[in-house]
Amino acid sequence: MSSYKKMLVAIDLTEEAPQVLNKAQEISKAHGAELLLVHVVEPVGYAYGGDIPMDLTELQDQLDKAAKEQLAAYGKQYGVTDNNQVITVGRPESEIHRLAKEQDVDLIIVGSHGRKGFQLLLGSTANGVLHGTECDVLAVRIH
Amino acid sequence: MSSYKKMLVAIDLTEEAPQVLNKAQEISKAHGAELLLVHVVEPVGYAYGGDIPMDLTELQDQLDKAAKEQLAAYGKQYGVTDNNQVITVGRPESEIHRLAKEQDVDLIIVGSHGRKGFQLLLGSTANGVLHGTECDVLAVRIH
């Protein structure tokens, strides 16, 4: 009997992502579970405030495109089909919760730095992912 | 290939413990991993302060004995040998870290309440377990 049928691995696109992906791949195989590969792009406006009026559309488009390409490359490397690669824009914890719920995910996998606790791109935290989620959460220690 | 060889499941002794134990049992089987069953008894002095001089030895002994019996019952139910049942006294997060390190544990499993984040007996938190640990942490959602 396996506990998990569908896992969501949320990654940033730093050089640390493969550590999380390697673990996610192994674990999903051990459980015979489907793996959903997720990257949340934070709207540029969040990071840059908004006091100075600027058209950030082009920058956002470039970021989205780069993220999509990088995720596709990881998908290929880790055997995740196009259908199971998700790029979404928003607050990481909210988007991860939404996707987990919509897709009936039973395990969320995220990277964690020992000293800083859970860490996703741009400061999302363990508690952000843990709070309000209905499913289990695995924090993969990044070395 | 399996990612985990030795798992530590830390439980309190409330009615919620079986939810965590069921999951820990399934996961350790899926990975063919050894399972270590841990309960940390907090010294009575921590809970009751210490301003009023009292001899708490007898109370502590009673708590330790009750914990040992309950853990043995769980061990029997979940197929964890006596050698892999650990009762220890101290701060939960410190004790869990110490044991995980001493015993070469590669995954710590703890219960988590959705709204409150990770939760162990007497207020130990997700961050407490995550901070300073060298291994992965799985938060099992308690319903």
Side-chain angles (χ1 to χ4, degrees), chain A:
Chain A
M1 171 183 181
S2 182
S3 308
Y4 301 118
K5 292 183 175 49
K6 197 164 187 176
M7 301 178 177
L8 182 166
V9 57
I11 57 163
D12 58 22
L13 299 174
T14 68
E15 73 278 7
E16 292 169 343
Q19 293 186 48
V20 181
L21 286 166
N22 284 330
K23 199 60 82 78
Q25 189 184 35
E26 287 169 20
I27 292 164
S28 60
K29 279 188 184 168
H31 288 264
E34 190 181 345
L35 188 61
L36 206 63
L37 179 55
V38 172
H39 174 67
V40 183
V41 180
E42 288 205 297
V44 177
Y46 289 7
Y48 292 94
D51 289 342
I52 303 164
M54 286 172 67
D55 183 5
L56 299 169
T57 316
E58 197 178 332
L59 178 58
Q60 185 75 61
D61 286 350
Q62 283 173 6
L63 285 174
D64 293 357
K65 186 164 172 286
K68 201 168 179 178
E69 285 170 5
Q70 181 61 61
L71 207 70
Y74 281 138
K76 198 172 174 185
Q77 190 181 344
Y78 290 91
V80 177
T81 60
D82 290 358
N83 281 344
N84 280 2
Q85 296 168 21
V86 182
I87 296 261
T88 176
V89 179
R91 296 270 183 205
E93 53 271 47
S94 320
E95 287 302 299
I96 290 168
H97 288 161
R98 183 182 62 75
L99 285 166
K101 202 170 177 181
E102 279 178 16
Q103 305 259 353
D104 277 331
V105 164
D106 41 29
L107 179 68
I108 295 169
I109 304 172
V110 291
S112 159
H113 291 88
R115 277 177 303 181
K116 289 182 268 172
F118 283 71
Q119 183 98 4
L120 287 174
L121 185 63
L122 293 177
S124 167
T125 64
N127 284 337
V129 175
L130 272 172
H131 285 190
T133 185
E134 286 298 313
C135 70
D136 294 358
V137 178
L138 173 67
V140 172
R141 179 73 165 81
I142 291 169
H143 292 279

Side-chain angles (χ1 to χ4, degrees), chain B residues 92-123:
Chain B
E93 54 270 46
S94 320
E95 287 301 299
I96 290 167
H97 288 161
R98 184 183 60 77
L99 286 165
K101 201 169 178 182
E102 280 178 17
Q103 305 261 352
D104 277 331
V105 164
D106 42 29
L107 179 68
I108 295 170
I109 303 171
V110 292
S112 160
H113 290 89
R115 278 177 303 181
K116 289 182 268 173
F118 283 70
Q119 183 98 5
L120 287 173
L121 185 64
L122 294 177

Side-chain angles (χ1 to χ4, degrees), chain B residues 34-138:
Chain B
E34 190 180 346
L35 188 61
L36 206 62
L37 180 54
V38 171
H39 174 67
V40 183
V41 180
E42 288 205 298
V44 178
Y46 288 8
Y48 292 95
D51 289 342
I52 303 165
M54 287 172 66
D55 182 7
L56 298 169
T57 316
E58 196 177 334
L59 178 58
Q60 185 76 60
D61 286 349
Q62 282 174 7
L63 285 173
D64 293 358
K65 187 165 171 284
K68 201 168 179 179
E69 284 170 4
Q70 182 61 62
L71 206 70
Y74 281 138
K76 200 172 173 185
Q77 190 181 344
Y78 290 91
V80 177
T81 61
D82 290 358
N83 281 344
N84 280 2
Q85 296 168 22
V86 182
I87 296 261
T88 175
V89 179
R91 298 270 182 203
E93 54 270 46
S94 320
E95 287 301 299
I96 290 167
H97 288 161
R98 184 183 60 77
L99 286 165
K101 201 169 178 182
E102 280 178 17
Q103 305 261 352
D104 277 331
V105 164
D106 42 29
L107 179 68
I108 295 170
I109 303 171
V110 292
S112 160
H113 290 89
R115 278 177 303 181
K116 289 182 268 173
F118 283 70
Q119 183 98 5
L120 287 173
L121 185 64
L122 294 177
S124 168
T125 64
N127 283 338
V129 174
L130 273 173
H131 285 192
T133 185
E134 287 297 312
C135 70
D136 293 359
V137 177
L138 173 67

